[in-house]
Amino acid sequence: MEFRNLGETDLKVSVITFGAWAAGGWMWGGTERKESVGAIRASYDLGVTSIDTAPVYGQGTSEEIVGEAIKGLPRDKVQLLTKYGMRWNQTKGTLAFHSRDNDGNPIDIYKYAGKESIIQECEDSLRRLGTDYIDLYQIHWPDVTTPISETMEAVQRLIEQGKVLQAGVCNYDISQMREAEKGLKLASNQVPYSMVKRDIEEEVVPYCLENRKAILAYSPLERGLLTGKIKPGHQFAEGDHRANYKAFKPENIVGVNTFLEKIRPLAEEKNATLGQLVIRWTIEQPGITVALVGARNTDQAVQNAKAIEVKLSADEIAFINRQLEEVAVV
Ligand SMILES: NC(=O)c1ccc[n+]([C@@H]2O[C@H](COP(=O)([O-])OP(=O)(O)OC[C@H]3O[C@@H](n4cnc5c(N)ncnc54)[C@H](OP(=O)(O)O)[C@@H]3O)[C@@H](O)[C@H]2O)c1
């Protein structure tokens, strides 16, 4: 595995980090707890020591699964990245969307990052994860109802108490990052980034490079699409959000698969899968610190972790980039 520091902090994370959203089942058509625990353990055995989760992923389920998976591992050899600010059990802040929990019951998700709420959320996360500190604590989505200064003050308090080591944000634009940094030093921003979703290259990447902030690229496989396994007409399980996600519109699937066929010979030459080529490309992009990759079972987790063995030369990256010029972004 390769490890990188998060921005200017001394927190080192694995460049391939396990993303535990799908492992929690919610919005992905359910979870098989044992398989998810197995996937995390198999990743760890291959050097994926960092795990990203969130309370809202399965309404506690994902954090519990992560807690179970790391039980017995030396705590200082694992980096736990979790979040706050997406609430399902209160109604302050702004309603983000209506949803259903893993049992099919209706729930409403609110974006809320008020001070007392964060302090409470942190206690709940520590309990579910079975630990006494979180390595990176990130706001999940901006909360327009709470001043950023109040949110960061709460996180600063948690840092002073030793419950949190480093502060991060997700889905923040650069003005929100600047505002947050008036209250504390940010390690990172977690944002969507894949071969076919590159909006952050405009502002976030230059800002983070200039200010030495880490970028955690989420959904680098474009939620499975960039593995090449999804064909038009694909039937997703009930409750899987991808059935209505714009990246999975038939014309997009066709366009992305046409591109993937062009880079398939390169993958074959390297004895790699398309997904592995995609993950390596992602972590080679300027400003990208980590690829946060989701997996639902051991096979996927092992394949993703082994992407680290695939190497790409500057010419090969340039070749991929030329093919990408002809693909529509999602
Ligand atoms: N901060 C945020 O707002 C935010 C938002 C989204 C994600 N994230 C983070 O980023 C992580 C990763 O993103 P993501 O899970 O959305 O997308 P992703 O990593 O692009 O895709 C993960 C999905 O692709 C499929 N897959 C993975 N490896 C595969 C393999 N080797 N072969 C075939 N299929 C494979 C699996 O789904 P199937 O097997 O069901 O196809 C898996 O659940 C999340 O877990 C979460 O930690 C954060």
Side-chain angles (χ1 to χ4, degrees):
M1 190 44 60
E2 295 166 27
F3 297 85
R4 290 179 183 160
N5 284 69
L6 279 191
E8 288 179 319
T9 75
D10 56 8
L11 179 58
K12 267 197 178 12
V13 294
S14 50
V15 292
I16 297 174
T17 286
F18 190 96
W21 177 21
W26 174 67
M27 294 179 70
W28 289 80
T31 182
E32 181 42 66
R33 269 179 113 103
K34 252 189 167 159
E35 285 210 10
S36 294
V37 169
I40 296 171
R41 291 222 175 117
S43 298
Y44 178 83
D45 289 343
L46 291 169
V48 177
T49 58
S50 310
I51 308 163
D52 180 77
T53 179
V56 78
Y57 296 163
Q59 292 70 56
T61 306
S62 174
E63 287 189 330
E64 284 169 12
I65 286 171
V66 173
E68 198 177 326
I70 63 160
K71 216 178 265 170
L73 298 179
R75 180 62 185 87
D76 62 345
K77 298 284 184 289
V78 181
Q79 299 79 45
L80 296 177
L81 288 40
T82 192
K83 316 189 185 86
Y84 58 88
M86 290 283 272
R87 303 285 316 251
W88 66 94
N89 40 13
Q90 60 90 67
T91 55
K92 286 190 196 143
T94 43
L95 177 65
F97 56 95
H98 303 291
S99 184
R100 286 188 183 274
D101 65 18
N102 280 345
D103 295 323
N105 303 310
I107 47 170
D108 289 335
I109 309 295
Y110 284 82
K111 292 178 186 167
Y112 182 59
K115 196 168 180 181
E116 295 314 315
S117 174
I118 297 171
I119 303 293
Q120 181 59 50
E121 280 206 85
C122 183
E123 290 305 321
D124 293 342
S125 289
L126 290 172
R127 192 189 63 252
R128 288 189 290 250
L129 291 164
T131 186
D132 55 4
Y133 70 92
I134 291 160
D135 294 86
L136 180 72
Y137 204 36
Q138 312 155 94
I139 184 165
H140 203 150
W141 278 91
D143 164 22
V144 294
T145 68
T146 305
I148 288 176
S149 56
E150 177 186 326
T151 300
M152 295 305 143
E153 213 182 296
V155 177
Q156 183 59 34
R157 191 156 105 195
L158 293 167
I159 291 174
E160 283 157 14
Q161 292 173 345
K163 294 176 179 172
V164 164
L165 297 189
Q166 299 295 339
V169 295
C170 305
N171 302 301
Y172 260 31
D173 63 25
I174 62 170
S175 66
Q176 291 162 328
M177 287 184 81
R178 270 199 199 102
E179 184 63 27
E181 288 234 275
K182 289 180 185 163
L184 46 60
K185 193 178 172 79
L186 287 181
S188 57
N189 192 1
Q190 179 177 147
V191 278
Y193 186 70
S194 77
M195 280 183 171
V196 291
K197 185 174 280 169
R198 298 172 67 174
D199 314 9
I200 60 160
E201 288 178 2
E202 237 169 76
E203 285 190 355
V204 174
V205 170
Y207 177 88
C208 289
L209 281 171
E210 197 181 323
N211 295 282
R212 305 198 52 192
K213 303 296 160 200
I215 295 179
L216 294 92
Y218 75 66
S219 309
L221 294 175
E222 208 46 62
R223 307 186 187 193
L225 182 59
L226 286 169
T227 65
K229 70 177 182 183
I230 309 284
K231 307 290 178 225
H234 186 91
Q235 289 297 311
F236 289 104
E238 199 185 330
D240 190 325
H241 74 287
R242 291 175 294 181
N244 300 309
Y245 184 58
K246 62 178 184 327
F248 292 85
K249 284 194 175 141
E251 62 273 24
N252 245 322
I253 296 175
V254 171
V256 168
N257 283 343
T258 304
F259 153 72
L260 290 173
E261 284 315 309
K262 293 184 191 157
I263 63 165
R264 189 184 291 280
L266 182 59
E268 283 171 356
E269 203 180 288
K270 292 178 180 290
N271 270 326
T273 63
L274 284 168
Q276 288 174 327
L277 204 64
V278 170
I279 293 169
R280 173 50 83 178
W281 177 92
T282 307
I283 55 179
E284 291 302 324
Q285 295 314 295
I288 303 299
T289 315
V290 159
L292 281 181
V293 195
R296 303 178 37 100
N297 54 47
T298 303
D299 284 354
Q300 290 181 355
V302 166
Q303 196 188 108
N304 299 344
K306 286 189 171 172
I308 208 68
E309 292 167 10
V310 179
K311 309 287 180 221
L312 283 174
S313 69
D315 281 353
E316 288 164 342
I317 290 174
F319 164 77
I320 294 173
N321 289 343
R322 281 197 301 280
Q323 312 314 309
L324 276 170
E325 281 165 18
E326 290 160 38
V327 193
V329 288
V330 300

